[in-house]
Amino acid sequence: MALSEYAYYGECDAGFWKGVCDRLKLQNTQGTRNALREVVRQGSDLLGLRVIRDKRNEGVRCVSTLCLQSGIPQQNLSHFAQLLEELARQYDWWDIAHAEPEDLSQLVYEFCRQKHPQWGKLLKFLESSCTDSDEEAEPVSGELLQGLAVVAQALERQGLAPVVLQDAHQREQLLQNFCLPNTFFLRSWDNLIQVLTPQEESSNYRCKLVSLRKKPLLLMLDVADSMDIQLVLSAQMLWQPDWRNWRGTYAQIQERGWETTLPIDGALEIPELTLPICDIAQGWVWHLRSHTGKSLVEWHCRGVTQDFPVLIFDAWTGDRLALPHGLKGKTEIICFYDRIIQLRMSDGIELIDSFVPCSIAGWRGQQLQLISEKAQLTICSAQFTQIIDWDNSQTNYPQLRGIKLKRKESTYLEVPSIWYPPITLAKTLNIQVEDIKNREVLTESNEQVRLSPSSWQQITLSRWMALPDPG
């Protein structure tokens, strides 16, 4: 934490490690730096902190204010405030508040790189929040930007000027009622308060917030239609600055047989692409290739190994379930396996369908339902035996429940309810229900729900929401 404090309050002109060593009266040697990095590694692992990797320095761990101060060093707060002000002139607070943090991290980094390439220090921190093709990153800058947009909207709805946030006590009281993400944290508000001003009602002149983040290639079961096991590439918009010389030229995803022309302006739009799977593989790779055959984008999907030829999917959503813990909280699954496999079920598991057709040659499928709190599924062959615990206990976080269709998206046939996990002490919750389509908040300001000590409790939403439109 001391090293992070130093990173927050400033580095000497000669660099972070030189400044730290001077402050600690140590020689700035490779051995000293390695020892301090090891302190950071062990301390962060012990405390469960998020530590980033320096993408420009062979991926080694580096000290960052991302974990403890939201990623913005004190000396760069004025730059970040200016960046946020410029973003707010181009994008709606509503759109920012409802975007994925991963998309916002990419947006703010690309925006800063385009508008202020000279802000190298700030760019370095913003880049570390962006996911690259090799490693996932914590979208801390996106979470920060999203939280600030929520604060700006809440102030606007309540008719409050941002200046009310200057008083620390008043700010704490207000933020408690603003339905902020759990991950939101900001250490210094001084530079940002002036930026959180109300926007004009008309948003026609503002840009639409478009996600340019690469979406994954997934293995899924088409539960809504064909029941095929499919590779699914989600619809996505993509663009990279080094593609500018390819504009107007042919491109393709050969693995799917999809062809296009890279747009003269704007980003490349890829629709959802699916491909039924007839054979297993240890992994699948799709490429977006230029007319010269150069790979512009790669997508990877984990496959199936020969020593464990089994696939299990959620019977309602078609999501692939990872073993051994993927069955927790699931009540109905579809299991596909090679004919050499034997599937044994303990008491508490009901066989719903003993023959589910499988698109993979030589495989069979069965649909199973858990009818007790716990059961065991045994998967065995001549080479292995694996016992999987199937537990109906719900994950310990609030859940949205209601009658819905079997498909990837959550399409409810009734107004759903929130179910809150067991608590031992009474508590009061802030609740906010929004109509995303019409961009409005349905609950009153500071709407609250009182919960008593109990097991799972239902919070009905019908007082704020009407029945969904059948169309």
Side-chain angles (χ1 to χ4, degrees):
M1 288 190 179
L3 292 173
S4 183
E5 285 291 291
Y6 185 81
Y8 178 72
Y9 282 111
E11 304 173 10
C12 75
D13 294 336
F16 172 78
W17 290 114
K18 176 66 165 60
V20 168
C21 291
D22 289 347
R23 182 69 65 89
L24 298 177
K25 295 181 172 55
L26 299 172
Q27 288 187 338
N28 183 19
T29 65
Q30 186 64 48
T32 301
R33 293 194 294 272
N34 288 342
L36 291 173
R37 287 191 179 102
E38 182 62 18
V39 169
V40 173
R41 186 192 68 78
Q42 293 188 20
S44 60
D45 290 346
L46 181 64
L47 298 174
L49 299 177
R50 297 182 293 189
V51 177
I52 66 167
R53 295 183 181 274
D54 189 344
K55 299 175 183 177
R56 303 177 183 177
N57 191 17
E58 300 179 356
V60 300
R61 291 191 176 207
C62 61
V63 178
S64 170
T65 62
L66 274 169
C67 306
L68 300 179
Q69 285 87 17
S70 295
I72 313 301
Q74 188 184 49
Q75 59 185 310
N76 298 115
L77 281 173
S78 59
H79 285 164
F80 184 73
Q82 180 182 335
L83 191 67
L84 185 62
E85 188 173 17
E86 294 169 355
L87 277 168
R89 286 199 293 265
Q90 290 201 29
Y91 300 97
D92 271 351
W93 287 131
W94 176 277
D95 290 337
I96 294 174
H98 293 82
E100 295 291 335
E102 293 83 359
D103 293 332
L104 293 176
S105 290
Q106 194 70 42
L107 170 70
V108 70
Y109 169 66
E110 295 293 349
F111 190 88
C112 185
R113 188 169 68 163
Q114 178 184 1
K115 300 286 187 179
H116 306 286
Q118 73 278 14
W119 291 353
K121 177 98 48 182
L122 181 58
L123 277 167
K124 180 179 178 181
F125 283 99
L126 296 177
E127 183 187 22
S128 61
S129 276
C130 298
T131 299
D132 58 28
S133 58
D134 301 317
E135 185 175 352
E136 293 293 319
E138 295 286 351
V140 185
S141 62
E143 292 168 350
L144 172 61
L145 182 57
Q146 184 183 58
L148 289 169
V150 170
V151 172
Q153 280 197 296
L155 291 173
E156 188 172 344
R157 281 196 299 271
Q158 297 184 27
L160 299 174
V163 69
V164 299
L165 299 175
Q166 287 182 339
D167 180 83
H169 178 71
Q170 190 174 9
R171 180 171 67 239
E172 182 180 356
Q173 294 298 114
L174 286 170
L175 294 182
Q176 288 177 354
N177 298 317
F178 278 2
C179 295
L180 285 162
N182 292 332
T183 52
F184 179 76
F185 169 72
L186 182 63
R187 179 166 182 162
S188 175
W189 286 80
D190 294 341
N191 294 86
L192 296 171
I193 287 176
Q194 59 185 349
V195 180
L196 305 178
T197 54
Q199 294 177 323
E200 297 179 16
E201 289 188 9
S202 175
S203 60
N204 294 333
Y205 68 92
R206 294 198 182 93
C207 300
K208 181 181 179 181
L209 205 159
V210 177
S211 168
L212 296 180
R213 179 171 53 91
K214 185 176 74 173
K215 306 300 190 299
L217 177 66
L218 301 173
L219 193 64
M220 301 192 70
L221 180 65
D222 182 10
V223 294
D225 188 13
S226 67
M227 292 299 292
D228 285 340
I229 299 172
Q230 300 177 333
L231 283 172
V232 179
L233 183 65
S234 301
Q236 51 199 285
M237 302 279 286
L238 296 176
W239 193 255
Q240 296 179 14
D242 57 357
W243 294 0
R244 58 185 178 277
N245 294 330
W246 305 101
R247 285 193 181 277
T249 64
Y250 170 83
Q252 65 170 332
I253 299 177
Q254 187 175 10
E255 294 81 3
R256 177 55 185 82
W258 181 76
E259 301 175 341
T260 189
T261 299
L262 294 179
I264 298 298
D265 296 302
L268 171 66
E269 184 174 355
I270 301 176
E272 180 180 270
L273 301 175
T274 62
L275 181 67
I277 294 301
C278 299
D279 298 292
I280 65 170
Q282 291 190 353
W284 291 275
V285 183
W286 285 13
H287 297 264
L288 173 67
R289 295 189 183 275
S290 70
H291 67 286
T292 65
K294 177 181 174 62
S295 178
L296 304 179
V297 183
E298 280 189 8
W299 294 271
H300 296 261
C301 178
R302 177 173 56 87
V304 184
T305 60
Q306 292 284 355
D307 57 352
F308 191 71
V310 178
L311 286 169
I312 300 179
F313 298 92
D314 186 308
W316 283 90
T317 65
D319 292 330
R320 181 181 182 178
L321 302 178
L323 300 177
H325 305 297
L327 301 191
K328 183 177 179 62
K330 305 297 180 182
T331 58
E332 197 171 328
I333 64 172
I334 298 178
C335 182
F336 295 102
Y337 51 92
D338 193 294
R339 294 189 187 276
I340 64 171
I341 299 294
Q342 289 187 345
L343 197 64
R344 299 172 184 164
M345 296 164 282
S346 69
D347 293 338
I349 298 177
E350 182 179 351
L351 181 62
I352 302 297
D353 190 344
S354 62
F355 181 73
V356 179
C358 184
S359 58
I360 299 177
W363 282 40
R364 61 176 300 184
Q366 291 186 335
Q367 186 168 348
L368 311 175
Q369 185 177 28
L370 183 64
I371 56 176
S372 63
E373 285 298 315
K374 293 181 180 181
Q376 285 187 333
L377 200 60
T378 302
I379 301 173
C380 57
S381 71
Q383 288 76 34
F384 68 86
T385 297
Q386 181 168 344
I387 299 175
I388 302 169
D389 292 322
W390 193 354
D391 187 349
N392 191 31
S393 61
Q394 300 292 330
T395 309
N396 199 32
Y397 59 80
Q399 299 174 18
L400 196 63
R401 301 181 191 172
I403 300 175
K404 58 182 180 180
L405 297 176
K406 280 191 173 184
R407 58 180 60 181
K408 288 184 293 183
E409 303 83 8
S410 294
T411 303
Y412 288 90
L413 301 176
E414 62 178 1
V415 177
S417 297
I418 296 174
W419 285 83
Y420 201 84
I423 54 176
T424 56
L425 297 174
K427 68 187 305 182
T428 300
L429 299 177
N430 296 318
I431 186 168
Q432 182 169 300
V433 180
E434 298 175 335
D435 183 338
I436 301 297
K437 182 179 180 180
N438 295 313
R439 299 165 67 96
E440 62 178 324
V441 178
L442 304 180
T443 45
E444 298 293 332
S445 296
N446 302 330
E447 186 95 43
Q448 294 183 328
V449 174
R450 182 70 176 173
L451 297 179
S452 57
S454 179
S455 57
W456 285 88
Q457 298 179 68
Q458 182 182 19
I459 303 173
T460 57
L461 301 179
S462 54
R463 56 175 145 162
W464 301 294
M465 299 171 60
L467 287 171
D469 185 352

